[in-house]
Amino acid sequence: MAWAKQVDFLVVGAGVAGLRAAVELADHGDVLVITKESVAESNTHYAQGGIAVAMEGAEDVALHLQDTLNAGDGLVYPPAAQVLVAEGPLRVAELIEWGARFDREGARLLRTREGAHSLPRILHANGDATGAEISRSLVAFARAHRRIQFAEWTTLTGLVAADGRVIAADLLDRDNRIERVSARAVLIAAGGAGQVYSDTTNPAIATGDGVALAAEAGAELADMEFYQFHPTALSLPGAPRFLLSEALRGEGAYLRNDRGERFMERYHPLLELAPRDVVARAIAREGMGAKPNETRVVDLDMRHVEAVDPHQRFPGISAVLARYGLDLQRDLIPVRPAAHYLMGGIRTDLFGRTTLPGLYAAGEAACTGVHGANRLASNSLLEGLVFGARVARAMLQDGLPVVAAEEPTDVPVPLTAEDDVRLETLIAALQRDMWTYAGLLRDHFGLLEGFASQQEFASGLKKLVRQGKGSRRLAEAKALSRVANAILHSALARTESRGAHFRNDYPNRDDANFQRHSIFNRSELRGETSKTRVVFETWQ
Ligand SMILES: Cc1cc2nc3c(=O)[nH]c(=O)nc-3n(C[C@H](O)[C@H](O)[C@H](O)COP(=O)(O)OP(=O)(O)OC[C@H]3O[C@@H](n4cnc5c(N)ncnc54)[C@H](O)[C@@H]3O)c2cc1C
């Protein structure tokens, strides 16, 4: 073990939220930042389009707030959105001071526009590699701090609670050894869970571990039915579901169906720049396949765009497309939707406090209510910066003492090669069924099919767990199972359509009953016997 057994602050995740918090915390105590792989492997690193920020004064801030509220389809928690847009400019200015280089023309920062934004307010870096630049600059800034220690290739596998608060965490190293680390406060900044679906833009690390382990320890989850499906991921046999940023449509790209028609005019007045859920469902409807949510491809067309040189403006995307013999200026690019962003997550207050003392959350793993039922494009990098800074303040203010935790008793038995193959088969089946039954278009009976699949998956895992087996992949599988269960319960309970959650059997928005946030598993967490796993409540 290369790290201390006791630290002041344990930060799980080295994306934008975890790093921003770590920098703030390190002025007041020792911080251990853990990541499942290298520090560069995070959703943050892959973010392309940019970071939304209103840097032009009060009017700009007010418009950013309005756009965020509109995208969230009646479910954004306004105080959270107000914090995001009002504190955003300061956090971005600070990041620039710390070394982040956004694209400029002379001294002026360049801004682009994305779906559902009323103004061009998205800053970008190296054209379409904004996340990599934010990650690079924050990692460099954090590494220069002597009180921040990084533990790469280290996986959180459990949270330890005593006397009603989290006091420690179990960490699995790359040699499959578990060590327990006690901390004054533990921050979950472990990102999203796109890997719960077979089609996703998220990297392999995005298995919802933080969300699942927080729930297992007793924290409430909120709004888990709201998963954003990005409309345009590359769709080629054998190729990864590489994201084709909304900024392509921001610069004028069209969507065309298999008859070559520009179909978005039938769905929304903002055409290709309509909110993401609208565009994704329009694509699903245009190219409906035989099974639920099996979507044939549509095409992204940038051939007519003359105002920008797509190779210069989107160098990363152009390079990936070139590997498949495609060129934005010459070819139609085949696309279809993919799971992209978890709006729900671990329920927190406006300072990242979860419902479990000692445990905090920020970034994509958290649910402050800032995105409501649908995230406004490019608001999540900003969320990580703003709420990463705020959660650090709460972790400091709460002033909890370190409580030494007992040593863990179980030593995991490694999985055999046969176990590994079986595990991958189980995971692939769950991901496929989640896409089919809890994807873009949902209904009651489909969601029940999803449950059946998730229960089968869970019992397959139990066999391995009963034999005392343990590995990073098994821990990820358990997390996927828990996240899938939360999504299914929440989606079944919300018998309306809103934002990213669309029910074929309840196609309308129902404000009278459902302009409220879903809370998952409160009764079980409180030890009550009620079978109701989801309750709805208004946040004041
Ligand atoms: C392809 C793509 C493009 C995107 N483009 C944009 C964009 O242009 N603008 C925008 O605003 N948003 C964009 N997003 C969304 C945005 O990138 C993420 O929502 C945001 O970066 C999340 O930051 P985070 O700090 O919460 O988590 P992440 O950046 O995902 O970091 C999670 C961290 O947690 C670690 N971790 C996870 N589980 C464990 C565990 N069990 N133990 C230890 N460590 C763990 C990971 O290793 C990683 O370090 C995009 C996302 C993707 C996938």
Side-chain angles (χ1 to χ4, degrees), residues 307-332:
V308 290
D309 174 349
H311 300 137
Q312 242 172 27
R313 173 69 182 82
F314 303 107
I317 291 174
S318 298
V320 170
L321 292 178
R323 275 188 237 148
Y324 300 99
L326 293 171
D327 183 324
L328 284 168
Q329 275 177 326
R330 193 191 61 209
D331 299 308
L332 291 169

Side-chain angles (χ1 to χ4, degrees), residues 70-134:
N70 291 346
D73 208 2
L75 208 66
V76 171
Y77 180 46
Q82 178 62 38
V83 162
L84 178 82
V85 298
E87 295 185 10
L90 171 67
R91 294 293 161 237
V92 170
E94 196 177 59
L95 188 67
I96 292 171
E97 212 172 287
W98 295 349
R101 293 185 291 257
F102 292 105
D103 294 334
R104 291 175 186 263
E105 198 169 56
R108 193 178 65 88
L109 286 163
L110 287 174
R111 295 177 174 86
T112 193
R113 191 172 162 202
E114 290 186 318
H117 281 275
S118 53
L119 290 175
R121 65 164 73 89
I122 322 288
L123 306 186
H124 45 86
N126 299 317
D128 54 6
T130 313
E133 175 58 15
I134 290 179

Side-chain angles (χ1 to χ4, degrees), residues 508-527:
N508 300 317
R509 178 170 142 175
D510 174 1
D511 280 355
N513 291 303
F514 289 109
Q515 196 162 26
R516 292 178 297 158
H517 299 272
S518 65
I519 307 296
F520 176 68
N521 231 4
R522 178 176 290 162
S523 56
E524 189 179 279
L525 296 174
R526 289 187 180 162

Side-chain angles (χ1 to χ4, degrees), residues 225-535:
E225 63 276 37
F226 296 112
Y227 221 109
Q228 183 172 79
F229 297 92
H230 198 288
T232 54
L234 182 64
S235 180
L236 284 176
R241 306 305 318 281
F242 177 71
L243 181 78
L244 293 165
S245 166
E246 192 145 340
L248 292 162
R249 282 173 282 131
E251 299 291 359
Y254 297 155
L255 288 166
R256 295 189 185 281
N257 63 18
D258 57 2
R259 292 183 296 284
E261 295 161 356
R262 212 183 145 195
F263 56 85
M264 277 309 299
E265 50 204 32
R266 289 202 288 278
Y267 296 93
H268 200 278
L270 285 173
L271 307 172
E272 280 83 359
L273 290 180
R276 282 185 181 171
D277 61 305
V278 176
V279 182
R281 281 195 298 274
I283 294 175
R285 293 203 169 99
E286 285 295 310
M288 196 72 86
K291 274 199 194 166
N293 293 313
E294 182 189 75
T295 308
R296 289 195 303 272
V297 293
V298 300
D299 290 311
L300 189 82
D301 184 3
M302 221 181 173
R303 297 172 303 177
H304 58 281
V305 174
E306 286 176 356
V308 290
D309 174 349
H311 300 137
Q312 242 172 27
R313 173 69 182 82
F314 303 107
I317 291 174
S318 298
V320 170
L321 292 178
R323 275 188 237 148
Y324 300 99
L326 293 171
D327 183 324
L328 284 168
Q329 275 177 326
R330 193 191 61 209
D331 299 308
L332 291 169
I333 313 295
V335 294
R336 65 196 162 103
H340 187 58
Y341 183 85
L342 176 61
M343 267 79 68
I346 308 162
R347 180 187 183 176
T348 70
D349 69 8
L350 294 184
F351 284 91
R353 292 183 184 91
T354 72
T355 53
L356 188 61
L359 187 69
Y360 301 79
E364 192 168 339
C367 180
T368 58
V370 76
H371 305 299
N374 206 3
R375 174 186 67 122
L376 183 68
S378 286
N379 262 359
S380 42
L381 290 170
L382 190 68
E383 176 194 21
L385 282 182
V386 168
F387 288 94
R390 285 173 79 90
V391 74
R393 272 185 268 155
M395 291 165 79
L396 294 166
Q397 266 168 21
D398 291 351
L400 294 167
V402 179
V403 177
E406 285 177 16
E407 288 292 312
T409 47
D410 49 341
V411 180
V413 179
L415 272 71
T416 63
E418 212 175 293
D419 292 334
D420 282 333
V421 172
R422 166 117 184 91
L423 191 56
E424 291 310 323
T425 311
L426 285 170
I427 292 173
L430 177 82
Q431 291 169 324
R432 222 176 28 243
D433 287 345
M434 282 298 289
W435 181 262
T436 304
Y437 300 117
L440 272 161
L441 305 172
R442 302 162 172 181
D443 63 41
H444 179 85
F445 292 106
L447 290 165
L448 293 184
E449 294 280 344
F451 271 116
S453 168
Q454 185 265 326
Q455 298 301 329
E456 205 176 307
F457 180 69
S459 65
L461 298 186
K462 261 191 207 134
K463 282 187 201 144
L464 294 170
V465 175
R466 256 191 257 117
Q467 294 161 357
K469 303 220 164 146
S471 70
R472 168 178 151 189
R473 196 61 177 145
L474 184 54
E476 290 178 333
K478 284 196 270 181
L480 289 173
S481 180
R482 197 171 268 274
V483 168
N485 187 263
I487 292 174
L488 290 162
H489 271 292
S490 310
L492 196 63
R494 187 175 285 279
T495 49
E496 65 153 359
S497 290
R498 180 186 296 271
H501 168 72
F502 191 88
R503 292 276 305 247
N504 284 323
D505 45 355
Y506 295 93
N508 300 317
R509 178 170 142 175
D510 174 1
D511 280 355
N513 291 303
F514 289 109
Q515 196 162 26
R516 292 178 297 158
H517 299 272
S518 65
I519 307 296
F520 176 68
N521 231 4
R522 178 176 290 162
S523 56
E524 189 179 279
L525 296 174
R526 289 187 180 162
E528 294 160 14
T529 48
S530 160
K531 286 260 184 291
T532 313
R533 304 290 291 274
V534 177
V535 291

Side-chain angles (χ1 to χ4, degrees), residues 12-18 34-39 41-51 114 154-157 189-192 201-203 205 209-210 213 243 340-341 362-365 375 377-382:
V12 182
V16 60
I34 67 161
T35 79
K36 248 193 316 195
E37 295 189 0
S38 77
V39 288
E41 193 60 14
S42 60
N43 275 10
T44 298
H45 180 84
Y46 292 99
Q48 296 176 348
I51 180 164
E114 290 186 318
T154 300
T155 303
L156 174 78
T157 57
T201 61
N202 290 192
I205 51 127
D209 307 1
L213 291 170
L243 181 78
H340 187 58
Y341 183 85
E364 192 168 339
R375 174 186 67 122
S378 286
N379 262 359
S380 42
L381 290 170
L382 190 68

